[in-house]
Structures are given as C-alpha cells and as structure tokens.
Amino acid sequence: MRHFLFATFLVVLLALPASSSAQNRVALLTDINGTVEVARAGSQSFAPAEWGTQLFEGDRIRTAENARTALLFANGNMLSLEGNASMTVSASSIASPALSGPVRELDGELLAVASDVMLHRAGEGEIAVLGGLRNAPSSEALQAAYPVNTLIPNAVPTFSWTAVDGFDLYTIKVQSAGTTIWSGATDASELQYPATAPALVSGVSYYWQVEAEDMLDVVSSPLYSFEVADDETAASVEANRARIQSMFHGQTESSEFWYVLGTYYAGQDLLGDAVIAFNRIATQHPQSASVHRILGRLYSQTGQKDAAIQALQKAVSLSQKD
C-alpha cells in the first residue's frame, strides 16, 4: 500500500504540462554548486538551472569554472559534470566524455521511486492545493516537528518541536489508548524516547504533544500521532540507508544524497523522515521551486497545513519568477 500511495502522490504532483509530456525526459539535476545553465532543445539561449531541473532529449547543459552538477538519468545512473564543461543531453549521453566522477547506479525500489520524481515548472497544481488548505488554522505558538502523523523507522524516536517564543521548560507526553505511557522534560527543543520507557510496538497508534512553560504562561501543542514500523520494515530501512550512504562513500552532505534518501523514505511511508531529507535540500537550494513543491505536498499529507501553505506559496512565487 505504501508504495502505491506515494506513487499516486507523485503522479498528481509531478504531472507535466501538455507541451512537455511528449518529450523524452532524460535526466534530473539533483545537485548544483556554482553557476550551471541549461538551453532547451532548439534554443540558443541559456538560463540558470535550479535544483530539480528536468533535462529532455536535445537540451544542452554547461557549467562555469569551479561549478559542478549531478545528473540522475532515467536508467538509474547518477553522474557528475564538473566545471568548464558542456554537453548535449540524450539517452546515450551517459557515455559523454564531459561527465566525470564515479558512476552510481540506482536499482530496484530505489530507482522505482527516485526516477519518477521529474519536477514540473507550472504552478497550477500548487494553486489548487493551496485552495484546499485556505481554511487551515493560524500558526500555533508551539508545534511538533517530528514525528507528525507518520510511520517512523525505529522504536526510540527523538521528539522535536518549534516554539514561537523561548520557554524555560518543555514536557513531552506520549499516549496510547488514552493513557500516558511516558513523559519527560527538557529545556531543549528535542528529547529522545528512552530505552527504559515502555517499548513502542508496531501496529499501535501513539499520540504525543509537548507542553511549554515559563514564569508567566503554559501552552500546549496540538496532539500528533505516529506508528512504529514492524521489525522487517525497520531492518530493510536500516539496510537501505546504509546502502545509500555506501553509494556516496560517506559523503552525506550533498543534495543528491538527500534526494535519494528522501525519495526512498517517502516510498516507505516514512513521511516525517522524508520531510527532514527534503528540508536539507531546501536549506542548500532555497530558490528551487521544486523542493518547496515536494515539501508542500509532504506537509499536506501529514496534516501540517500551515507548513504546507508556506511551502507551496514559496513554490508558486519562485515558479512565477521563471
């Protein structure tokens, strides 16, 4: 169910405009450092590329001195284009001498999700979703950040939250079937569920909230839910995370790493972890409409309406600048 659910989400999110749907999508830019430009097939005009730019048959791409970009091809090959290089994109261009660096190859379930994320530029889909979120409540003074209405990969989550104002003390309460099974306090903005607390098991819906207090006030966040993955899923997630890290030789700061990991998490219904991954990309590429579009949909799926509105409004604004 989880793979089909996210695949449906991608179909809605990533549907291309009619003028582009007939084109052969060849590659996706999953990392950009420095000045990288693209000229569409048949055009002599180059324009700056952004994270998530789709490349079609006949497009040309070039990099400035000391620049670099990473391309994910439709067949699962991930390659790099270094500085002062140019190439014409085609299905056979994975053998281009302009490409450099190690060849990484996605296969199986990694490719099944990641290769589908071909990001469109039109803002109509975001506007439609925004229309459905207009009645969202105003931002709360205290909101949970993780886990929020999601499946989580292990039974010792680190709860995190954001507060509009600073408070002196935060108290976290975890409930099951209307009974508080654990509570903890901290002056920080996160707290890990301790191994000494009652074990969290798969197949059970848990609810949690955080309460903040200072000398003058006490406020509580909304109540959020989460479920723990079963042992088989958890083991598979851990193995695939290690596999993805190995693909990048431990270099886990690049947006291409977070893209592969984030799409994998989303395909497993680990939407909270997917949000974290794509937020890492958004931090590196804040002017990319594509990453804000993905975040908006993920936030919407997890019921975080305020965050969804903010992300989708950002995506629409950036798309309209193009």
Side-chain angles (χ1 to χ4, degrees):
M1 175 66 178
R2 59 178 60 122
H3 296 291
F4 292 111
L5 178 64
F6 189 65
T8 301
F9 152 61
L10 289 174
V11 169
V12 175
L13 169 61
L14 309 173
L16 289 168
S19 60
S20 299
S21 59
Q23 290 180 281
N24 181 21
R25 293 174 291 182
V26 175
L28 178 75
L29 298 186
T30 56
D31 200 15
I32 292 180
N33 290 284
T35 300
V36 178
E37 297 177 314
V38 170
R40 294 302 179 184
S43 173
Q44 299 301 312
S45 177
F46 279 86
E50 65 173 32
W51 183 91
T53 295
Q54 296 180 85
L55 299 176
F56 300 90
E57 192 79 25
D59 288 349
R60 289 178 294 151
I61 183 171
R62 68 186 184 187
T63 57
E65 185 178 4
N66 297 324
R68 175 190 175 277
T69 188
L71 298 86
L72 169 61
F73 286 84
N75 66 355
N77 285 327
M78 302 185 73
L79 304 101
S80 299
L81 190 67
E82 303 296 337
N84 284 332
S86 63
M87 63 175 290
T88 299
V89 177
S90 71
S92 61
S93 62
I94 56 174
S96 169
L99 292 166
S100 59
V103 176
R104 304 182 178 100
E105 185 174 359
L106 302 184
D107 56 17
E109 60 185 331
L110 299 184
L111 178 59
V113 178
S115 64
D116 282 341
V117 185
M118 299 295 188
L119 304 165
H120 72 314
R121 300 170 67 83
E124 297 176 358
E126 287 70 50
I127 293 172
V129 172
L130 282 170
L133 295 174
R134 291 299 185 187
N135 294 326
S138 59
S139 296
E140 302 282 348
L142 184 65
Q143 289 194 336
Y146 182 88
V148 178
N149 306 331
T150 184
L151 186 71
I152 62 173
N154 62 68
V156 285
T158 296
F159 298 97
S160 62
W161 53 90
T162 59
V164 174
D165 300 309
F167 291 89
D168 299 325
L169 185 67
Y170 300 95
T171 301
I172 298 84
K173 296 179 180 179
V174 178
Q175 302 176 13
S176 176
T179 301
T180 298
I181 62 172
W182 173 78
S183 66
T186 180
D187 59 0
S189 59
E190 64 178 32
L191 184 64
Q192 186 175 35
Y193 191 82
T196 55
L200 303 177
V201 298
S202 64
V204 175
S205 294
Y206 294 97
Y207 300 87
W208 76 284
Q209 67 180 160
V210 56
E211 183 179 89
E213 61 181 283
D214 56 24
M215 293 183 64
L216 301 176
D217 200 9
V218 177
V219 297
S220 297
S221 75
L223 198 64
Y224 295 98
S225 68
F226 67 93
E227 291 188 13
V228 178
D230 59 54
D231 291 344
E232 182 179 356
T233 299
S236 177
V237 168
E238 181 59 31
N240 278 314
R241 177 182 172 85
R243 175 185 168 202
I244 294 169
Q245 288 179 320
S246 178
M247 285 173 53
F248 289 89
H249 306 290
Q251 298 174 355
T252 59
E253 296 304 314
S254 69
S255 56
E256 55 184 326
F257 166 78
W258 287 108
Y259 172 75
V260 174
L261 188 62
T263 54
Y264 171 70
Y265 281 152
Q268 297 296 314
D269 273 359
L270 302 171
L271 301 182
D273 292 270
V275 164
I276 292 172
F278 281 103
N279 265 316
R280 294 292 292 266
I281 299 174
T283 298
Q284 296 178 13
H285 303 284
Q287 299 305 307
S288 167
S290 300
V291 69
H292 294 291
R293 182 177 297 118
I294 292 175
L295 280 168
R297 294 288 181 150
L298 289 171
Y299 283 131
S300 180
Q301 280 197 308
T302 56
Q304 300 177 78
K305 292 185 176 181
D306 288 340
I309 289 173
Q310 184 177 3
L312 291 172
Q313 285 178 333
K314 181 70 171 178
V316 171
S317 175
L318 290 170
S319 294
Q320 291 173 344
K321 292 179 182 179
D322 294 343

